[in-house]
Amino acid sequence: MKNLTPPTANTVHEAGLAALPAELTVDSGLAQLPAAMQRLEFISLRAIMELLSSSGALTPDNAVRSSDEIINTLGAACRHHWLVRRWLVALVEREFLKLSNGYYSWEQIPESAAGADKLPEAYDALGFPPEMAQSHQKLLTHLAELVRDQVSINQLLFENGEILTALAAYQNNWFTTYLNYAAASIVKQAVKPGPMLRVLELGGGAGLTTAAILDTLAGRPINYRFTDISPLFTTAAQKKFRNHIGLRCSLLDINADFTAQSIPAASTDIVVAGNVLHNAAHIGQNLQRIRRSLVTGGWLLFSESTRENHAMLTAMQFLLSPAESESLLGSEDRRGGTDQVFIDNTAWQEELVVAGFEVKCFLPASTSPLSVAGQTLFFAKAV
C-alpha cells in the first residue's frame, strides 16, 4: 500500500459516472436531479406541515409555540423529540415556518398540495426502485402514529420480514450507484501483483457497496471481510457472494474494540464503509479504531450523508431514534446537544485529520447535480 499512487478525484468521478445509465450522463440528464429531489423533499415537508396543522401543534390563527409546546401537542414519544425538532429546523430553513425568540409560527403554507401520490414519479426520476415510493407512501399515511410510537417503522417497512429488500430499495439509486462504483474504482487501483489485498467492509448491510467492488474487480483475488452488526446481513451476504473466492463474513460492532473482534492492529489495507459511520456512538473514537486497524499508508473509503435530506425526515430517520433507555447517536461527540446525527464535509475532514488520516479527496463536487442528495464519498490515507 505504501508505494501505490492514489487515483485522482477526476479519475474516481469518471468511474462513478460510468456506472450510471448513458441517458443520465449526456445532455441535461444529471441536471434534472435537483428538481426531482426538491419535489421529493417538498412532499415530505408538506406531510409534516399537515400533521402540525391537523394536530393543533401550529394553528391557523398563527399563534406562536415553543418546540416543547409543539412536541407536547403532537404527543410525540420521548425518543422522537429530537426528530420533531429537526422537522422544525427544516421548515424554518425552507421558510415555511419562522422562528423568533425561541417560538415558531407559520411563515407560509404552500398552495400546491403535493401529496404522497406524487412520490412514485419523484423516486423514479432519482433512480430508486418502485418499492421505495410504496414504502414512503405507507409511512406518510401513518406519520402521526409513527411520531407517537403507536406504530413502529419496523412494523411498516418490514411487515413481511423483508428487511433486506426494504433496505436495498432505500440504498439503490443514482447517487449511491455513483458513489459505490467510485469507491470500487479506488479499490481496483490498489489490486496489484504481490501480497493479497486485505479489505475490511464495515456495516455491509444489503451488500450494494460490496457488489460494486466485486463487480469492478471481476474475479481478481482479494482477501475481503464483509462485516455487519446483524447476522441477518452477514448470513445473506455469505449466500449472495458465496461464489467469490476470498470473501468471508463475520459480525462486527463499530462501537466496540476491533481487536477484541478479531481485527488486529495494522491488519488491513483498505477499510470500506457505505453510509454507516454516522451510526458511531462517538465519531472520533470510531475513526481511531479504524486507523488502528489499518497499516500505515492504508486507505479509508466511506460514503456518508453530509446534509440532512428532508425527504428522509418522514422515513428512515425514524430508524435513528434511540430506545427509551439510550441516548441519541453522537451525544458524547461534536454532535452532542444539536439533535444532528449527520455532520458536514468540513466536520468529517476535521475528524479524519485528528484521527490520523490525510484526506485525499471527496466526491461529488459541490457544483455537481449529484451533490443534491447530500451523499459524499471520502477517500483518506492513514498516516
Side-chain angles (χ1 to χ4, degrees):
M1 290 295 299
K2 291 182 180 180
N3 299 321
L4 287 179
T5 302
T8 64
N10 186 62
T11 299
V12 177
H13 172 66
E14 291 298 325
L17 288 181
L20 299 176
E23 64 270 18
L24 196 66
T25 57
V26 298
D27 300 325
S28 59
L30 287 178
Q32 306 303 313
L33 296 180
M37 181 60 73
Q38 187 174 27
R39 288 196 300 273
L40 185 61
E41 291 191 294
F42 174 79
I43 292 169
S44 186
L45 293 177
R46 177 68 189 189
I48 294 171
M49 294 169 71
E50 290 176 348
L51 176 57
L52 293 176
S53 179
S54 64
S55 68
L58 285 172
T59 56
D61 62 5
N62 224 16
V64 297
R65 296 282 179 85
S66 68
S67 61
D68 286 344
E69 289 172 329
I70 292 171
I71 287 169
N72 291 335
T73 304
L74 276 177
C78 290
R79 70 191 195 95
H80 296 315
H81 285 189
W82 75 277
L83 183 54
V84 176
R85 289 191 290 266
R86 297 311 301 169
W87 288 359
L88 299 176
V89 169
L91 290 171
V92 170
E93 288 177 354
R94 298 291 284 268
E95 299 183 346
F96 295 132
L97 291 183
K98 56 184 175 182
L99 173 62
S100 178
N101 297 320
Y103 288 87
Y104 296 87
S105 59
W106 292 116
E107 180 72 38
Q108 60 168 312
I109 299 179
E111 296 179 2
S112 174
D117 60 316
K118 302 295 184 182
L119 283 172
E121 178 185 347
Y123 272 115
D124 180 66
L126 298 171
F128 286 88
E131 294 85 353
M132 188 60 193
Q134 295 164 9
S135 295
H136 202 168
Q137 285 176 318
K138 186 185 301 182
L139 296 176
L140 291 184
T141 301
H142 296 279
L143 189 57
E145 295 99 316
L146 280 167
V147 78
R148 295 166 186 156
D149 257 357
Q150 294 168 339
V151 65
S152 75
I153 188 171
N154 290 345
Q155 289 174 290
L156 297 176
L157 286 186
F158 315 135
E159 60 181 348
N160 298 317
E162 296 293 333
I163 297 178
L164 281 170
T165 301
L167 290 181
Y170 167 58
Q171 297 170 358
N172 188 9
N173 54 74
W174 301 143
F175 307 101
T176 54
T177 296
Y178 163 81
L179 296 177
N180 285 339
Y181 277 87
S185 74
I186 298 176
V187 177
K188 183 178 180 180
Q189 172 79 12
V191 178
K192 304 293 182 183
M196 188 79 73
L197 188 73
R198 300 164 296 178
V199 179
L200 169 65
E201 182 175 0
L202 305 175
L208 297 185
T209 302
T210 320
I213 293 175
L214 298 182
D215 179 54
T216 302
L217 294 177
R220 293 158 86 173
I222 189 172
N223 183 340
Y224 197 108
R225 183 166 177 176
F226 176 105
T227 69
D228 199 282
I229 196 171
S230 169
L232 172 71
F233 299 119
T234 55
T235 300
Q238 191 70 60
K239 180 178 179 181
K240 181 177 181 179
F241 303 117
R242 61 185 178 278
N243 293 326
H244 191 87
I245 298 174
L247 184 139
R248 59 195 174 106
C249 301
S250 61
L251 298 177
L252 187 139
D253 180 358
I254 65 170
N255 288 314
D257 179 65
F258 282 14
T259 303
Q261 299 177 86
S262 302
I263 306 290
S267 64
T268 305
D269 299 310
I270 296 180
V271 171
V272 176
N275 200 31
V276 69
L277 297 190
H278 64 267
N279 288 301
H282 191 290
I283 286 174
Q285 293 174 5
N286 182 231
L287 289 176
Q288 290 168 16
R289 292 187 197 100
I290 293 172
R291 173 60 189 91
R292 285 193 291 270
S293 74
L294 283 164
V295 297
T296 298
W299 295 349
L300 168 61
L301 320 173
F302 68 98
S303 58
E304 261 303 330
S305 294
T306 51
R307 81 163 179 86
E308 196 166 60
N309 186 309
H310 294 161
M312 294 300 102
L313 287 172
T314 56
M316 295 301 182
Q317 298 288 67
F318 278 98
L319 290 171
L320 301 178
S321 289
E324 293 292 354
S325 60
E326 298 177 354
S327 300
L328 183 64
L329 291 171
S331 60
E332 299 300 323
D333 62 22
R334 69 192 301 153
R335 296 170 290 177
T338 68
D339 292 322
Q340 294 180 336
V341 173
F342 306 110
I343 62 176
D344 62 20
N345 285 358
T346 300
W348 273 113
Q349 292 179 75
E350 292 171 353
E351 292 285 354
L352 285 164
V353 170
V354 171
F357 289 95
E358 176 188 355
V359 181
K360 307 303 292 186
C361 71
F362 60 90
L363 294 167
S366 60
T367 55
S368 170
L370 286 163
S371 68
V372 70
Q375 292 284 320
T376 303
L377 173 68
F378 293 89
F379 171 28
K381 181 179 178 180
V383 294

